Amino acid sequence: MTALAVIGVFLLLAVGLGAAARRGRVMDLEQWAVGGRGFGTVFVFLLLAGELYTTFTFLGAAGWAYGKGGPAFYILSYAALAYVLSYWLLPVVWHYAKRHGLLSQPDFFAEKYDSPLLGVLVALVGVVAMVPYLVLQLTGLGIIVSTASYGHLSAHAAAVIGAVALTGYVTVSGIHGSAWTAVAKDVLILGVVVFLGIYLPVHYAGGIGPMFHRLDAEHPGFLTLRHSGLSPSWFASTVLLSTLGFYLWPHTFAATYSAKGPKVFRRNAVFMPLYQLMLLFVFFAGFAAIIAVPGLKGADGDLSLLKAATATFDPWFVGVVGGAGVLTALVPGSLLLTTSATSLARNVYLVARPRAGQREVGRLAKLLVPVVAALALFFTFRGGSSIVNLLLMGYALVTQLFPALVLSLPSRRLVTAWGAAAGIVAGVATVATVTLTGTTVARLLPGFPQPVRDLNVGVVALVVNLAALAVVSALTRRAGGGAGGGAGVGAGDGVAGGAEQTASQ
């Protein structure tokens, strides 16, 4: 019970910080969703760092190091490349969002393409992608608390308590609650991760170097990429897909709106890769767990770090580890809830009921928070997929927005709204079909060379997306008789109102 009590203290700390974050503010929709666009470098850094240190860090990253070995290093690669992309991409997005008063990712697409219906499509795709990600957080939270409490609280009960806590402070404080809890989370998790990443290899193998020598001797080839399956082409295509999708997560995209100015992103692009190196210590802990708690199979590999902790430390410290794990679920979970509710209220409801005022939309967004949380809990209880599989499916979905985003940035838009919509639908349909049927690229293309058969299916969906986007854009541009991409899906008064001509952007 000692560990459970310590975890409870950290949960109360998070809820207290989250609820207190609204003090002194009139929580209108702009304050609730994007913090009044007043966050400086530190808060934006912590919100974006929420993508690095989630329950995936505690469970999936360590679990893949434990179960897959060398291929796990794809996790370290893609974010570093994404930060390079952010140096140029995010300031452009921020300037446009600031100028047009945008509050959500679908707002950006709706305004750029002068198409509220495209905004509806992007909102629905975003919510569909975010639900598995929220399920990942709640599933991870349940596993962490159940394991770290030595089974005194079941995973389902822990997930319900976590969802209730999230719903409470997100409804009250919105993104301000996420920012405040992120401060506590990052301080705690950094201390825990660095300690575990050094202590466990030293304790069980005599050091980090000896640990790798021992693993290589006992499991030849485990620390390298495979000749097929988790091969170099799988590694490269997965890194590419995850890099392109990194800032396409709706909650990450919308978090960029909260910055005071574009310099915030350029500073973060410099420091975030250094911060990401902390993931190495997670891998070290996962590799050390192979020696400490051997024999975990399949999805049980996600438990490797926690199993190693419970086998090594006193309950009070296991409680600290569990508390850090709970905070890694709450911060991204709160952003996901805020963004999902904002997208549904502002980009679906407002299009269906255009006369609704901002106050009504804001109230609806807050009312939708428990609805989205309940939906995520439903899928959490159904369970099934491992932590990494849930994350990869979400990445495959949100990456389908990347072509439409990039091709909207030039002053003269390169594709039409119909083309953008067709590409997104084709890409998402490909991901959904492959995911639901359990098909792989190897099954789809059995006669192709092994490097092609090992490609991440999300890349194949991206190719389908680009083909549909190009063909439909060419057809609709010709039908519309214009060259500026003016043919729009339900083109009208853009979501934020006052849509401007593309040539003036």
Side-chain angles (χ1 to χ4, degrees), residues 96-113:
Y96 191 79
K98 171 78 172 176
R99 190 186 318 151
H100 293 272
L102 309 183
L103 297 179
S104 69
Q105 183 190 56
D107 279 358
F108 189 91
F109 285 84
E111 193 72 34
K112 271 287 186 181
Y113 286 92

Side-chain angles (χ1 to χ4, degrees), residues 55 137-148 153-159 329:
T55 54
Q137 304 308 322
L138 294 178
T139 302
L141 186 149
I143 292 172
I144 289 168
V145 174
S146 178
T147 306
L153 192 65
S154 72
H156 282 180

Side-chain angles (χ1 to χ4, degrees), residues 408-480:
S408 77
L409 297 180
S411 57
R412 185 178 178 81
R413 202 175 59 227
L414 300 176
V415 295
T416 67
W418 281 109
I424 292 169
V425 170
V428 168
T430 303
V431 172
T433 302
V434 169
T435 302
L436 293 175
T437 60
T439 304
T440 63
V441 176
R443 289 182 187 172
L444 291 172
L445 307 171
F448 279 67
Q450 191 64 45
V452 175
R453 296 166 62 193
D454 290 342
L455 288 174
N456 186 306
V457 70
V459 172
V460 176
L462 208 53
V463 173
V464 174
N465 179 330
L466 285 167
L469 183 152
V471 170
V472 175
S473 286
L475 293 175
T476 51
R477 182 178 290 122
R478 189 176 304 165

